[in-house]
Amino acid sequence: MLIDDAYIYLHIANNILDVGTAQYYPIVNNDSLLASSPLRMLILVPATALARIFTSNDYSFFTSQLTFVFSGLLTALLFLPWFWGKWQWFWAGMLFNGIMSVATLVTVWQMEGALLFWCIYTLAWLAVHKPLSAQVIRQIGYVSGLLLFSRPEYGFVTLLITYISLASSKHRWTWLLAYTRPLLIIAVVWILLAALLQVWFIPTSYLSKIMTGKLDFFSADFGDLLVDNISFYFFYNLLILTEESRRYITVMIIAVLGIYGVLLSRQHRFYLLYCIGFVLLTALLYHSPGNYLWYNENYFIAITTISFFVMMQTLLQQQKHYFLTGMSFILTMLLTVSGTSHRFFHIPVSYIEKNHIYENIAKHHQGHGLFKFPDLSITYISMMEIGVVSYLAGPTIWLDDKGGLAQAGTLEGTQQSSLAIFYPKRLLINGMPEIQTLCQRDQIEPCLLHDTWAMQSENPEKYVAYYFPQYKIGLNPKALAFMP
């Protein structure tokens, strides 16, 4: 299954290589940054350059898959220096990360899941296996900064836990300064790099995704990741889970992991931090955007990574009873991840056809954001999912983004949001000023904008893309049913 947002990152990486900017639509000089994980975006740049060496088409699905593979390897290499000389821990991390990748937890393969794993895994390693000193605290600060620029919400939780822990130590001022300095260095470097890449240093996607609604925690949608996939993989023909049972089973498994941490907290201070982090991450999930699968998966990656490290630690300390208990919970989580394999090995025809539709839409791009479809005048288009089409069409694409990622002002209430103070007003507009600029500059008459969306037809295995008149600037366009 291809995640459309993964191709938003790939499109930005291509723009950096081809145009020298991280702007999503360079043709309108829109300096919004759509990458919620800036570090993921930066890793994709060399990964894309490597993938292009082995392909003849810079904008193809095959190139994108190679890019994902190279990005995973580069992510591991980024954290290798912290494990230099301790190869057993590095290879254990590689193996565990590989298991999650093979099990097709999509955020590991296509999004920032690998970064999230390595950041948390490295932080746990530094906190437990290095005698605490100002130098080690400084290293923890650098990894915390990388986590903050990988997934800001998890970075915030880490900063909160670390500052509380350091403030209670007898070397508090020395260690707090050692921890803060790397964070400031990374922040300054990023602000300068964002200016060089011609984008605002705070991603507008933070604001857009918060405005799309909150996750219904422990709901059927949430349980789909944890429980439904297990039932699909093992008991699909034997067990039909109700929404209520999904809630209870999800709560039970997460509660058991929490209790495991409480038991371990009596043995070592690190396990107390495990408990605090577990509670904060669970509370954080209540405020995650509700329509993004990988936000659920990020939570499970974070919790499973911490639990995996705890299990390895108890094994080294020869606490066999804790190790066996932890192993049972880890196996539960890995079975959950493995249960998602049907999404990769048994991809519904609808997903494949949907991607083909988006590929066909991109083929009709004429440049400068204009599209020419059969029986339809040349037009601009509006879409809910902009990633795949943008990636395949190249740097001269322009789309009216109904999801509000590229044009945050499309979403109702954006300008009234408390987060709006962190953005210039020019980034809080919808797509209308941009299309008017394009029409005037390129002398397009009539200036048309058609609504585009991949909608499911009566046949559940078929997708049809419909083009409906959403807006008009000039002639009123007619609706068009279109299949590739």
Side-chain angles (χ1 to χ4, degrees):
M1 182 174 69
L2 301 180
I3 301 179
D4 190 76
D5 276 38
Y7 285 81
I8 289 179
Y9 281 88
L10 289 177
H11 178 65
I12 297 173
N14 279 333
N15 285 350
I16 293 174
L17 288 173
D18 297 335
V19 191
T21 177
Q23 293 181 4
Y24 200 77
Y25 299 137
I27 64 172
V28 292
N29 196 29
N30 183 335
D31 55 342
S32 298
L33 178 61
L34 274 63
S36 300
S37 177
L39 185 57
R40 170 65 176 168
M41 174 193 75
L42 295 176
I43 287 177
L44 281 174
V45 175
T48 301
L50 286 172
R52 288 182 175 186
I53 297 174
F54 300 95
T55 60
S56 57
N57 183 358
D58 292 345
Y59 311 110
S60 68
F61 286 127
F62 178 69
T63 304
S64 70
Q65 298 304 306
L66 273 182
T67 302
F68 292 144
V69 172
F70 285 126
S71 70
L73 297 175
L74 291 175
T75 299
L77 291 176
L78 176 64
F79 291 89
L80 176 61
W82 280 288
F83 295 94
W84 197 266
K86 300 294 183 179
W87 301 110
Q88 68 273 29
W89 283 94
F90 178 75
W91 290 115
M94 286 287 289
L95 176 62
F96 190 73
N97 192 41
I99 290 173
M100 290 192 290
S101 298
V102 171
T104 66
L105 199 60
V106 290
T107 187
V108 175
W109 181 245
Q110 298 184 39
M111 297 296 288
E112 65 280 343
L115 269 175
L116 182 61
F117 165 79
W118 280 109
C119 284
I120 295 175
Y121 187 70
T122 306
L123 284 172
W125 154 255
L126 289 172
V128 174
H129 289 271
K130 293 276 189 178
L132 287 184
S133 62
Q135 182 179 2
V136 173
I137 297 298
R138 193 176 301 114
Q139 294 181 45
I140 292 176
Y142 278 113
V143 180
S144 298
L146 295 180
L147 178 57
L148 189 64
F149 283 88
S150 300
R151 277 304 334 158
E153 62 272 34
Y154 292 88
F156 172 77
V157 169
T158 301
L159 262 62
L160 183 62
I161 294 175
T162 306
Y163 273 118
I164 292 174
S165 179
L166 295 179
S168 62
S169 67
K170 62 180 180 179
H171 305 289
R172 64 174 63 90
W173 297 117
T174 302
W175 286 4
L176 285 172
L177 180 62
Y179 183 71
T180 303
R181 188 176 298 163
L183 296 174
L184 294 177
I185 292 174
I186 291 176
V188 170
V189 170
W190 166 245
I191 291 174
L192 294 176
L193 185 58
L196 182 65
L197 295 175
Q198 304 169 29
V199 290
W200 184 248
F201 64 95
I202 304 177
T204 53
S205 50
Y206 294 167
L207 176 60
S208 301
K209 291 182 178 179
I210 287 177
M211 297 302 296
T212 58
K214 301 297 187 295
L215 180 70
D216 183 9
F217 194 42
F218 298 142
S219 69
D221 291 337
F222 182 83
D224 177 66
L225 176 66
L226 180 60
V227 180
D228 282 0
N229 288 313
I230 296 179
S231 66
F232 185 96
Y233 201 65
F234 296 102
F235 317 112
Y236 185 72
N237 294 320
L238 302 177
L239 178 65
I240 302 298
L241 294 173
T242 66
E243 179 175 347
E244 198 65 23
S245 64
R246 281 194 292 263
R247 290 174 184 267
Y248 286 136
I249 295 176
T250 305
V251 172
M252 182 180 66
I253 293 177
I254 293 178
V256 168
L257 283 173
I259 294 171
Y260 177 55
V262 172
L263 293 174
L264 289 173
S265 66
R266 301 164 57 188
Q267 306 295 317
H268 194 282
R269 185 182 180 187
F270 167 75
Y271 302 132
L272 178 61
L273 296 179
Y274 165 92
C275 294
I276 297 173
F278 185 91
V279 171
L280 288 176
L281 290 176
T282 304
L284 181 70
L285 196 63
Y286 273 101
H287 299 282
S288 295
N291 58 339
Y292 296 96
L293 171 67
W294 54 96
Y295 278 68
N296 299 342
E297 297 186 347
N298 279 337
Y299 170 82
F300 285 110
I301 286 176
I303 294 300
T304 308
T305 301
I306 296 173
S307 302
F308 173 71
F309 188 90
V310 167
M311 182 197 70
M312 293 289 292
Q313 185 67 14
T314 56
L315 177 61
L316 291 178
Q317 294 177 353
Q318 296 184 344
Q319 296 175 311
K320 294 182 180 179
H321 56 297
Y322 285 122
F323 169 73
L324 292 175
T325 307
M327 176 66 81
S328 65
F329 298 149
I330 289 294
L331 287 176
T332 300
M333 300 300 287
L334 289 181
L335 286 174
T336 300
V337 175
S338 299
T340 66
S341 62
H342 67 86
R343 289 185 302 186
F344 181 77
F345 295 110
H346 305 283
I347 299 177
V349 175
S350 56
Y351 280 123
I352 298 175
E353 292 195 352
K354 182 178 179 181
N355 292 329
H356 285 172
I357 288 173
Y358 284 167
E359 183 178 20
N360 198 72
I361 292 174
K363 289 178 181 178
H364 288 80
H365 182 235
Q366 306 295 302
H368 298 278
L370 291 166
F371 290 79
K372 181 65 179 74
F373 299 106
D375 303 324
L376 188 66
S377 301
I378 196 164
T379 181
Y380 301 98
I381 64 175
S382 177
M383 298 189 69
M384 181 66 74
E385 294 184 330
I386 62 174
V388 173
V389 173
S390 300
Y391 168 76
L392 296 174
T396 64
I397 187 69
W398 181 90
L399 299 167
D400 178 46
D401 180 16
K402 295 198 296 181
L405 293 178
Q407 296 106 3
T410 301
L411 301 173
E412 184 178 354
T414 299
Q415 298 188 14
Q416 289 73 41
S417 170
S418 57
L419 292 180
I421 61 174
F422 296 104
Y423 302 94
K425 290 186 176 180
R426 67 178 183 275
L427 302 183
L428 305 179
I429 61 173
N430 58 29
M432 288 301 97
E434 293 180 346
I435 189 174
Q436 290 171 354
T437 299
L438 287 171
C439 287
Q440 293 173 3
R441 186 180 66 193
D442 298 331
Q443 298 181 347
I444 304 300
E445 181 63 36
C447 189
L448 308 177
L449 178 65
H450 279 75
D451 191 17
T452 309
W453 181 236
M455 302 184 68
Q456 197 167 7
S457 67
E458 294 179 1
N459 185 339
E461 293 186 350
K462 296 291 183 181
Y463 270 77
V464 180
Y466 288 103
Y467 298 87
F468 296 105
Q470 170 93 355
Y471 308 101
K472 63 171 183 152
I473 305 174
L475 182 66
N476 181 22
K478 69 175 183 178
L480 171 69
F482 174 73
M483 275 290 288

